[in-house]
Amino acid sequence: MTIAGPHRVEVIAVEGVGDVRPGDDIAALLKDAGIQDGDIVVVTSKIVSKAEGRIRRAPDRTQAIEDETERVVARRGDTVISQTRHGFVMAAAGVDASNTDPGTVLLLPEDPDASASRIRAGLAAARVGVIVSDTFGRPWRNGLTDVAIGVAGLRPLDDFRGTSDAYGNQLSATVTALADEIAGAAELVKGKLAGVPVAIVRGLSHLVTDDDGPGVRPLVRAADDDLFRYGSRDVVFARRTIREFSDRPVDPEAVRRAVAAGIAAPAPHHTTPWRFVLVESPETRTKLLDAMREAWIEDLRGDGFSEQSIAKRIRRGDVLRNAPYLVVPCLVMEGSHTYRDARRNASEREMFVVATGAGVENFLIQLAVEGLGSAWVSSTMFCRPVVRAVLDLPDSWDPMGCVAVGHAAAPPRDRAPRDPADFIVTR
Protein backbone atom coordinates (compact mmCIF):
# COMPACT_ATOMS: atom_id res chain seq x y z
CA MET A 1 0.00 0.00 0.00
CA THR A 2 1.36 3.44 -0.96
CA ILE A 3 0.30 6.76 0.57
CA ALA A 4 1.12 9.95 -1.32
CA GLY A 5 1.77 13.27 0.39
CA PRO A 6 4.71 15.38 1.51
CA HIS A 7 6.41 12.05 2.06
CA ARG A 8 5.75 9.02 -0.10
CA VAL A 9 4.92 6.26 2.36
CA GLU A 10 4.73 2.55 1.61
CA VAL A 11 3.20 -0.03 3.94
CA ILE A 12 4.43 -3.53 3.16
CA ALA A 13 3.01 -6.73 4.61
CA VAL A 14 5.64 -9.22 5.78
CA GLU A 15 4.37 -12.70 4.95
CA GLY A 16 5.73 -16.09 5.87
CA VAL A 17 6.52 -15.35 9.53
CA GLY A 18 4.68 -18.53 10.52
CA ASP A 19 3.44 -19.60 13.93
CA VAL A 20 5.58 -18.11 16.68
CA ARG A 21 6.45 -20.23 19.72
CA PRO A 22 7.99 -19.43 23.12
CA GLY A 23 11.70 -18.74 22.78
CA ASP A 24 11.57 -17.69 19.11
CA ASP A 25 13.74 -14.74 18.07
CA ILE A 26 11.43 -12.36 16.20
CA ALA A 27 14.33 -10.41 14.70
CA ALA A 28 15.73 -13.66 13.29
CA LEU A 29 12.31 -14.51 11.82
CA LEU A 30 12.48 -11.22 9.89
CA LYS A 31 15.98 -11.67 8.43
CA ASP A 32 14.59 -12.21 4.91
CA ALA A 33 11.93 -9.47 5.10
CA GLY A 34 14.00 -6.95 3.15
CA ILE A 35 14.16 -4.39 5.95
CA GLN A 36 16.13 -1.27 4.97
CA ASP A 37 17.70 1.59 6.87
CA GLY A 38 15.03 4.14 7.77
CA ASP A 39 12.20 1.56 7.83
CA ILE A 40 9.74 1.29 10.70
CA VAL A 41 8.84 -2.30 11.57
CA VAL A 42 5.43 -2.78 13.18
CA VAL A 43 5.03 -6.06 15.07
CA THR A 44 1.72 -7.31 16.44
CA SER A 45 1.98 -7.78 20.20
CA LYS A 46 0.51 -11.28 19.99
CA ILE A 47 3.63 -12.77 18.44
CA VAL A 48 5.81 -10.85 20.90
CA SER A 49 3.79 -12.32 23.77
CA LYS A 50 4.12 -15.80 22.29
CA ALA A 51 7.87 -15.47 21.77
CA GLU A 52 8.30 -14.23 25.35
CA GLY A 53 6.16 -17.01 26.82
CA ARG A 54 3.38 -14.70 27.96
CA ILE A 55 0.90 -17.56 27.50
CA ARG A 56 -1.36 -18.68 30.31
CA ARG A 57 -3.47 -21.79 30.51
CA ALA A 58 -6.96 -20.78 31.58
CA PRO A 59 -10.42 -22.27 31.05
CA ASP A 60 -11.60 -18.66 30.69
CA ARG A 61 -9.78 -15.37 30.91
CA THR A 62 -11.62 -13.87 33.89
CA GLN A 63 -8.87 -14.60 36.43
CA ALA A 64 -6.15 -13.57 34.00
CA ILE A 65 -7.89 -10.22 33.47
CA GLU A 66 -8.13 -9.70 37.21
CA ASP A 67 -4.46 -10.54 37.70
CA GLU A 68 -3.35 -8.16 34.94
CA THR A 69 -5.60 -5.29 36.11
CA GLU A 70 -4.14 -2.44 38.10
CA ARG A 71 -7.42 -0.51 38.24
CA VAL A 72 -10.92 -1.14 36.90
CA VAL A 73 -12.06 1.86 34.90
CA ALA A 74 -15.50 0.66 33.78
CA ARG A 75 -17.53 -2.50 33.71
CA ARG A 76 -20.68 -3.59 31.93
CA GLY A 77 -21.68 -7.23 32.18
CA ASP A 78 -18.66 -9.32 31.23
CA THR A 79 -16.92 -6.37 29.57
CA VAL A 80 -14.17 -4.82 31.66
CA ILE A 81 -12.14 -1.75 30.76
CA SER A 82 -9.09 -1.67 32.98
CA GLN A 83 -5.74 -0.04 33.47
CA THR A 84 -2.75 -2.35 33.25
CA ARG A 85 0.43 -1.92 35.23
CA HIS A 86 1.95 -0.47 32.05
CA GLY A 87 -0.55 2.41 32.34
CA PHE A 88 -2.63 1.33 29.32
CA VAL A 89 -6.40 1.68 29.63
CA MET A 90 -7.91 -1.03 27.45
CA ALA A 91 -10.45 -3.81 27.26
CA ALA A 92 -9.78 -6.88 29.40
CA ALA A 93 -6.34 -5.59 30.48
CA GLY A 94 -5.06 -6.71 27.09
CA VAL A 95 -5.75 -10.40 27.82
CA ASP A 96 -6.55 -12.07 24.49
CA ALA A 97 -8.04 -15.48 23.75
CA SER A 98 -7.79 -15.18 19.94
CA ASN A 99 -5.00 -16.54 17.73
CA THR A 100 -3.79 -18.83 20.48
CA ASP A 101 -4.28 -22.52 21.29
CA PRO A 102 -7.67 -23.44 22.81
CA GLY A 103 -7.58 -23.30 26.59
CA THR A 104 -4.90 -20.60 26.63
CA VAL A 105 -4.84 -16.81 26.70
CA LEU A 106 -2.14 -14.32 25.77
CA LEU A 107 -0.99 -11.61 28.16
CA LEU A 108 0.62 -8.37 27.03
CA PRO A 109 4.43 -8.34 26.93
CA GLU A 110 5.91 -7.63 30.35
CA ASP A 111 7.73 -4.53 29.02
CA PRO A 112 6.70 -3.70 25.44
CA ASP A 113 9.33 -0.95 25.09
CA ALA A 114 12.05 -3.43 26.04
CA SER A 115 10.56 -5.95 23.59
CA ALA A 116 10.73 -3.34 20.79
CA SER A 117 14.31 -2.51 21.75
CA ARG A 118 15.39 -6.17 21.62
CA ILE A 119 13.81 -6.67 18.19
CA ARG A 120 15.46 -3.49 16.93
CA ALA A 121 18.88 -4.58 18.21
CA GLY A 122 18.54 -7.91 16.40
CA LEU A 123 17.59 -6.53 12.99
CA ALA A 124 20.28 -6.40 10.30
CA ALA A 125 19.52 -2.84 9.22
CA ALA A 126 21.58 -0.27 11.11
CA ARG A 127 18.90 2.39 11.65
CA VAL A 128 15.28 1.30 12.00
CA GLY A 129 12.33 2.00 14.24
CA VAL A 130 10.22 -0.73 15.86
CA ILE A 131 6.64 -0.51 17.10
CA VAL A 132 4.88 -3.22 19.07
CA SER A 133 1.18 -2.72 18.33
CA ASP A 134 -2.07 -3.87 19.86
CA THR A 135 -5.77 -3.31 19.18
CA PHE A 136 -7.66 -0.71 21.22
CA GLY A 137 -11.21 0.54 21.29
CA ARG A 138 -11.80 4.26 21.72
CA PRO A 139 -14.30 6.28 23.75
CA TRP A 140 -17.21 7.69 21.68
CA ARG A 141 -16.17 5.73 18.56
CA ASN A 142 -17.27 2.36 17.25
CA GLY A 143 -14.67 0.00 15.86
CA LEU A 144 -11.11 -0.86 16.81
CA THR A 145 -7.73 0.37 15.64
CA ASP A 146 -4.15 -0.60 16.31
CA VAL A 147 -2.00 1.64 18.50
CA ALA A 148 1.58 1.49 19.74
CA ILE A 149 2.17 -0.17 23.10
CA GLY A 150 5.95 -0.40 22.68
CA VAL A 151 8.34 1.84 20.72
CA ALA A 152 12.07 1.86 20.04
CA GLY A 153 14.08 4.02 17.66
CA LEU A 154 11.18 6.30 16.80
CA ARG A 155 9.89 9.72 17.81
CA PRO A 156 6.48 8.80 19.27
CA LEU A 157 4.90 12.27 19.25
CA ASP A 158 4.98 15.48 17.23
CA ASP A 159 4.29 18.43 19.52
CA PHE A 160 3.02 21.47 17.63
CA ARG A 161 2.07 23.51 20.69
CA GLY A 162 3.42 27.03 20.51
CA THR A 163 3.67 27.01 16.71
CA SER A 164 1.31 28.72 14.27
CA ASP A 165 -0.86 27.30 11.50
CA ALA A 166 -1.05 28.63 7.93
CA TYR A 167 -3.52 31.30 9.06
CA GLY A 168 -1.32 32.59 11.86
CA ASN A 169 -3.34 30.94 14.66
CA GLN A 170 -1.19 29.73 17.54
CA LEU A 171 -1.61 26.04 18.31
CA SER A 172 -2.09 25.28 22.00
CA ALA A 173 -3.22 21.65 22.13
CA THR A 174 -2.06 19.87 18.96
CA VAL A 175 0.13 16.87 19.74
CA THR A 176 0.15 14.19 17.03
CA ALA A 177 0.45 10.56 18.10
CA LEU A 178 2.89 9.52 15.36
CA ALA A 179 3.51 6.00 16.65
CA ASP A 180 -0.23 5.30 16.89
CA GLU A 181 -0.85 6.60 13.37
CA ILE A 182 1.91 4.37 12.00
CA ALA A 183 0.55 1.37 13.94
CA GLY A 184 -2.92 1.99 12.49
CA ALA A 185 -1.54 2.28 8.95
CA ALA A 186 0.36 -0.99 9.35
CA GLU A 187 -2.81 -2.76 10.44
CA LEU A 188 -4.37 -2.00 7.05
CA VAL A 189 -2.05 -4.54 5.44
CA LYS A 190 -1.76 -6.94 8.37
CA GLY A 191 -5.48 -7.48 8.98
CA LYS A 192 -7.02 -9.56 11.73
CA LEU A 193 -7.48 -12.86 9.92
CA ALA A 194 -4.76 -12.84 7.27
CA GLY A 195 -2.06 -14.31 9.48
CA VAL A 196 0.31 -11.39 8.76
CA PRO A 197 1.67 -10.15 12.11
CA VAL A 198 4.37 -7.78 10.81
CA ALA A 199 4.41 -4.82 8.42
CA ILE A 200 7.15 -2.48 7.23
CA VAL A 201 6.40 1.23 6.93
CA ARG A 202 8.83 2.88 4.51
CA GLY A 203 9.25 6.57 3.76
CA LEU A 204 9.27 8.01 7.27
CA SER A 205 12.99 7.78 7.96
CA HIS A 206 12.96 11.33 9.32
CA LEU A 207 11.06 9.96 12.34
CA VAL A 208 13.62 7.24 13.06
CA THR A 209 16.12 8.03 15.83
CA ASP A 210 19.68 6.85 16.38
CA ASP A 211 18.95 5.61 19.90
CA ASP A 212 15.92 3.77 21.30
CA GLY A 213 14.32 7.05 22.38
CA PRO A 214 11.70 7.57 25.09
CA GLY A 215 9.57 4.56 24.18
CA VAL A 216 5.79 4.60 24.43
CA ARG A 217 5.64 6.50 27.72
CA PRO A 218 4.97 9.97 26.20
CA LEU A 219 1.83 8.51 24.58
CA VAL A 220 0.33 7.23 27.83
CA ARG A 221 -1.74 9.82 29.67
CA ALA A 222 -1.32 9.64 33.43
CA ALA A 223 -4.49 8.58 35.24
CA ASP A 224 -4.55 11.78 37.29
CA ASP A 225 -4.67 13.80 34.05
CA ASP A 226 -7.50 11.76 32.54
CA LEU A 227 -10.82 13.60 32.57
CA PHE A 228 -12.60 10.24 32.24
CA ARG A 229 -10.60 8.26 34.75
CA TYR A 230 -13.54 6.18 36.01
CA GLY A 231 -16.55 4.64 34.33
CA SER A 232 -19.94 5.46 35.82
CA ARG A 233 -20.45 1.95 37.19
CA ASP A 234 -17.19 1.94 39.12
CA VAL A 235 -16.90 5.51 40.27
CA VAL A 236 -18.31 4.76 43.74
CA PHE A 237 -15.64 2.12 44.28
CA ALA A 238 -12.94 4.62 43.31
CA ARG A 239 -13.33 6.26 46.71
CA ARG A 240 -10.75 4.82 49.06
CA THR A 241 -9.46 5.96 52.44
CA ILE A 242 -5.96 7.34 51.88
CA ARG A 243 -3.76 7.97 54.90
CA GLU A 244 -0.40 8.77 53.28
CA PHE A 245 -0.08 11.74 50.94
CA SER A 246 2.61 12.99 48.59
CA ASP A 247 3.94 16.57 48.57
CA ARG A 248 2.05 17.35 45.36
CA PRO A 249 -0.19 20.40 45.94
CA VAL A 250 -3.97 20.15 45.83
CA ASP A 251 -5.86 22.17 43.22
CA PRO A 252 -8.40 24.25 45.21
CA GLU A 253 -10.75 24.29 42.23
CA ALA A 254 -10.89 20.48 42.27
CA VAL A 255 -12.01 20.65 45.91
CA ARG A 256 -14.68 23.18 45.01
CA ARG A 257 -15.96 20.88 42.28
CA ALA A 258 -16.18 18.15 44.91
CA VAL A 259 -18.20 20.47 47.12
CA ALA A 260 -20.62 20.98 44.21
CA ALA A 261 -21.12 17.21 44.17
CA GLY A 262 -21.57 17.19 47.95
CA ILE A 263 -24.43 19.66 47.94
CA ALA A 264 -26.24 17.59 45.31
CA ALA A 265 -27.08 15.01 48.00
CA PRO A 266 -30.67 14.47 49.19
CA ALA A 267 -31.85 16.34 52.27
CA PRO A 268 -35.11 16.61 54.26
CA HIS A 269 -37.68 19.36 53.71
CA HIS A 270 -35.78 20.78 50.70
CA THR A 271 -33.10 22.05 53.10
CA THR A 272 -29.37 22.52 52.58
CA PRO A 273 -27.83 21.10 55.76
CA TRP A 274 -24.21 21.10 54.52
CA ARG A 275 -21.42 23.61 54.95
CA PHE A 276 -17.82 22.87 53.92
CA VAL A 277 -15.00 24.79 55.57
CA LEU A 278 -11.93 24.71 53.33
CA VAL A 279 -8.80 25.00 55.45
CA GLU A 280 -6.37 26.32 52.84
CA SER A 281 -4.08 28.38 55.05
CA PRO A 282 -1.14 26.36 56.47
CA GLU A 283 -1.14 28.59 59.55
CA THR A 284 -4.84 27.96 60.18
CA ARG A 285 -4.38 24.24 59.63
CA THR A 286 -1.58 24.07 62.19
CA LYS A 287 -3.50 26.19 64.70
CA LEU A 288 -6.59 23.99 64.30
CA LEU A 289 -4.74 20.70 64.68
CA ASP A 290 -2.73 21.94 67.67
CA ALA A 291 -5.88 23.11 69.45
CA MET A 292 -7.67 19.83 68.69
CA ARG A 293 -4.70 17.84 69.99
CA GLU A 294 -4.63 19.76 73.27
CA ALA A 295 -8.39 19.31 73.74
CA TRP A 296 -8.09 15.59 73.03
CA ILE A 297 -5.20 15.16 75.46
CA GLU A 298 -7.16 16.95 78.16
CA ASP A 299 -10.17 14.68 77.61
CA LEU A 300 -8.05 11.52 77.66
CA ARG A 301 -6.33 12.53 80.86
CA GLY A 302 -9.71 13.25 82.39
CA ASP A 303 -10.79 9.73 81.43
CA GLY A 304 -7.78 8.26 83.23
CA PHE A 305 -5.67 7.14 80.26
CA SER A 306 -1.93 6.74 80.80
CA GLU A 307 0.51 9.11 79.08
CA GLN A 308 1.76 6.20 76.96
CA SER A 309 -1.78 5.35 75.84
CA ILE A 310 -2.50 9.03 75.15
CA ALA A 311 0.61 9.36 72.97
CA LYS A 312 -0.42 6.29 70.98
CA ARG A 313 -3.92 7.64 70.39
CA ILE A 314 -2.66 11.09 69.44
CA ARG A 315 -0.46 9.58 66.72
CA ARG A 316 -3.64 8.41 64.99
CA GLY A 317 -4.29 12.04 64.13
CA ASP A 318 -1.15 12.24 62.00
CA VAL A 319 -3.21 11.60 58.88
CA LEU A 320 -4.65 15.11 59.26
CA ARG A 321 -1.31 16.72 60.07
CA ASN A 322 0.39 15.09 57.06
CA ALA A 323 -2.34 16.04 54.59
CA PRO A 324 -1.71 19.13 52.43
CA TYR A 325 -5.36 20.22 52.55
CA LEU A 326 -8.16 19.89 55.10
CA VAL A 327 -11.91 20.24 54.79
CA VAL A 328 -14.27 20.43 57.77
CA PRO A 329 -17.83 19.48 56.78
CA CYS A 330 -20.46 20.94 59.06
CA LEU A 331 -24.12 20.23 59.80
CA VAL A 332 -26.60 23.07 60.05
CA MET A 333 -30.19 22.57 61.16
CA GLU A 334 -31.66 25.49 59.20
CA GLY A 335 -35.12 24.57 57.95
CA SER A 336 -35.60 21.75 60.45
CA HIS A 337 -38.94 21.28 62.18
CA THR A 338 -39.44 21.66 65.91
CA TYR A 339 -41.91 19.37 67.69
CA ARG A 340 -43.30 19.23 71.21
CA ASP A 341 -42.23 15.57 71.38
CA ALA A 342 -38.50 15.19 72.22
CA ARG A 343 -38.44 11.82 70.40
CA ARG A 344 -39.60 13.43 67.17
CA ASN A 345 -37.04 16.23 67.57
CA ALA A 346 -34.31 13.62 67.96
CA SER A 347 -35.51 11.89 64.81
CA GLU A 348 -35.49 15.24 63.00
CA ARG A 349 -31.82 15.72 63.88
CA GLU A 350 -31.05 12.17 62.78
CA MET A 351 -32.50 12.95 59.34
CA PHE A 352 -30.18 15.95 59.04
CA VAL A 353 -27.19 13.91 60.21
CA VAL A 354 -27.96 11.28 57.55
CA ALA A 355 -28.26 14.00 54.91
CA THR A 356 -24.92 15.45 55.96
CA GLY A 357 -23.33 12.01 55.66
CA ALA A 358 -24.76 11.68 52.16
CA GLY A 359 -23.26 15.05 51.26
CA VAL A 360 -19.86 14.10 52.60
CA GLU A 361 -19.94 10.79 50.71
CA ASN A 362 -20.74 12.64 47.47
CA PHE A 363 -17.84 14.96 48.25
CA LEU A 364 -15.43 12.06 48.84
CA ILE A 365 -16.45 10.31 45.63
CA GLN A 366 -15.95 13.44 43.56
CA LEU A 367 -12.53 13.94 45.12
CA ALA A 368 -11.64 10.47 43.82
CA VAL A 369 -12.94 11.41 40.37
CA GLU A 370 -10.64 14.44 40.52
CA GLY A 371 -7.71 12.12 41.23
CA LEU A 372 -7.47 13.07 44.91
CA GLY A 373 -7.30 10.77 47.90
CA SER A 374 -9.11 11.45 51.15
CA ALA A 375 -9.67 10.26 54.69
CA TRP A 376 -12.76 11.24 56.69
CA VAL A 377 -11.70 11.43 60.35
CA SER A 378 -14.21 11.97 63.15
CA SER A 379 -11.92 13.96 65.48
CA THR A 380 -13.62 17.37 65.20
CA MET A 381 -16.84 15.88 66.56
CA PHE A 382 -15.17 15.44 69.97
CA CYS A 383 -14.14 19.08 70.33
CA ARG A 384 -16.68 21.11 68.41
CA PRO A 385 -16.39 24.29 70.51
CA VAL A 386 -12.62 24.34 69.93
CA VAL A 387 -13.05 23.88 66.16
CA ARG A 388 -15.71 26.59 65.98
CA ALA A 389 -13.47 28.99 67.93
CA VAL A 390 -10.36 28.42 65.80
CA LEU A 391 -12.25 28.58 62.49
CA ASP A 392 -14.56 31.41 63.65
CA LEU A 393 -17.73 29.48 62.88
CA PRO A 394 -21.29 30.18 64.08
CA ASP A 395 -22.45 28.25 67.14
CA SER A 396 -25.15 26.62 64.97
CA TRP A 397 -22.56 24.87 62.79
CA ASP A 398 -21.67 21.37 63.98
CA PRO A 399 -18.30 20.14 62.62
CA MET A 400 -18.88 16.54 61.47
CA GLY A 401 -15.31 15.32 61.36
CA CYS A 402 -12.45 16.46 59.17
CA VAL A 403 -11.48 15.30 55.67
CA ALA A 404 -7.77 15.00 54.85
CA VAL A 405 -7.26 15.65 51.13
CA GLY A 406 -4.22 15.08 48.93
CA HIS A 407 -2.59 12.97 46.27
CA ALA A 408 -1.96 9.42 47.44
CA ALA A 409 1.69 8.63 48.15
CA ALA A 410 1.08 4.99 47.24
CA PRO A 411 -1.79 2.89 45.85
CA PRO A 412 -4.34 1.92 48.52
CA ARG A 413 -4.52 -1.64 49.74
CA ASP A 414 -7.11 -3.90 48.16
CA ARG A 415 -10.53 -3.83 49.73
CA ALA A 416 -11.47 -6.72 51.96
CA PRO A 417 -13.81 -8.96 49.93
CA ARG A 418 -17.45 -8.44 50.80
CA ASP A 419 -20.45 -10.29 49.44
CA PRO A 420 -23.47 -7.97 49.08
CA ALA A 421 -25.69 -10.93 49.94
CA ASP A 422 -24.32 -10.80 53.49
CA PHE A 423 -25.84 -7.33 53.92
CA ILE A 424 -29.27 -7.96 52.39
CA VAL A 425 -32.46 -9.09 54.09
CA THR A 426 -35.42 -9.89 51.85
CA ARG A 427 -38.95 -9.88 53.18
Side-chain angles (χ1 to χ4, degrees), residues 96-293:
D96 200 338
S98 64
N99 293 303
T100 184
D101 293 332
T104 66
V105 294
L106 296 175
L107 312 180
L108 290 181
E110 192 73 37
D111 184 344
D113 280 339
S115 302
S117 180
R118 284 191 293 271
I119 295 170
R120 180 175 187 250
L123 294 173
R127 189 170 178 274
V128 296
V130 173
I131 294 174
V132 176
S133 68
D134 199 62
T135 302
F136 274 51
R138 300 149 301 153
W140 310 297
R141 303 283 287 185
N142 288 321
L144 308 172
T145 187
D146 266 28
V147 302
I149 65 167
V151 176
L154 178 71
R155 189 167 80 245
L157 293 172
D158 248 353
D159 191 344
F160 294 98
R161 291 173 296 183
T163 64
S164 297
D165 63 18
Y167 294 90
N169 301 307
Q170 188 172 51
L171 304 179
S172 60
T174 304
V175 182
T176 301
L178 296 172
D180 286 347
E181 291 185 330
I182 296 167
E187 181 59 19
L188 293 174
V189 301
K190 289 190 295 177
K192 297 299 177 190
L193 303 176
V196 178
V198 180
I200 298 169
V201 179
R202 183 167 296 157
L204 297 175
S205 60
H206 60 289
L207 301 179
V208 176
T209 58
D210 292 329
D211 57 11
D212 280 346
V216 80
R217 185 56 48 194
L219 285 164
V220 180
R221 179 178 289 137
D224 282 352
D225 297 328
D226 192 343
L227 293 178
F228 308 97
R229 181 173 179 172
Y230 297 105
S232 58
R233 290 172 182 257
D234 293 274
V235 67
V236 171
F237 300 97
R239 188 217 61 79
R240 304 295 303 277
T241 296
I242 302 295
R243 299 185 182 278
E244 296 180 9
F245 301 98
S246 71
D247 295 332
R248 183 176 172 186
V250 171
D251 178 5
E253 292 306 311
V255 178
R256 285 162 172 76
R257 289 192 291 270
V259 170
I263 63 175
H269 317 315
H270 306 288
T271 57
T272 55
W274 326 274
R275 301 292 185 272
F276 292 85
V277 183
L278 311 185
V279 185
E280 296 182 338
S281 162
E283 294 78 16
T284 301
R285 181 170 67 244
T286 299
K287 183 179 179 181
L288 172 65
L289 295 178
D290 287 349
M292 288 169 56
R293 180 180 60 192

Side-chain angles (χ1 to χ4, degrees), residues 299-320:
D299 284 346
L300 291 171
R301 282 176 178 159
D303 290 336
F305 285 91
S306 68
E307 293 301 313
Q308 182 179 6
S309 177
I310 290 172
K312 183 177 179 181
R313 289 169 179 266
I314 290 300
R315 282 196 296 272
R316 295 175 186 170
D318 286 349
V319 62
L320 297 178

Side-chain angles (χ1 to χ4, degrees), residues 53-58 63-65 67-68 103-107:
R54 296 281 288 163
I55 304 170
R56 175 167 170 172
R57 295 215 161 268
Q63 187 60 50
I65 293 170
D67 293 343
E68 293 295 299
T104 66
V105 294
L106 296 175
L107 312 180

Side-chain angles (χ1 to χ4, degrees), residues 372-421:
L372 292 167
S374 63
W376 186 13
V377 181
S378 62
S379 52
T380 67
M381 299 172 70
F382 296 92
C383 53
R384 284 173 171 147
V386 170
V387 175
R388 282 192 285 259
V390 172
L391 297 180
D392 192 22
L393 303 179
D395 290 342
S396 59
W397 289 26
D398 274 350
M400 302 296 284
C402 186
V403 179
V405 181
H407 294 273
R413 289 180 292 181
D414 291 339
R415 293 180 185 274
R418 292 174 180 169
D419 185 347

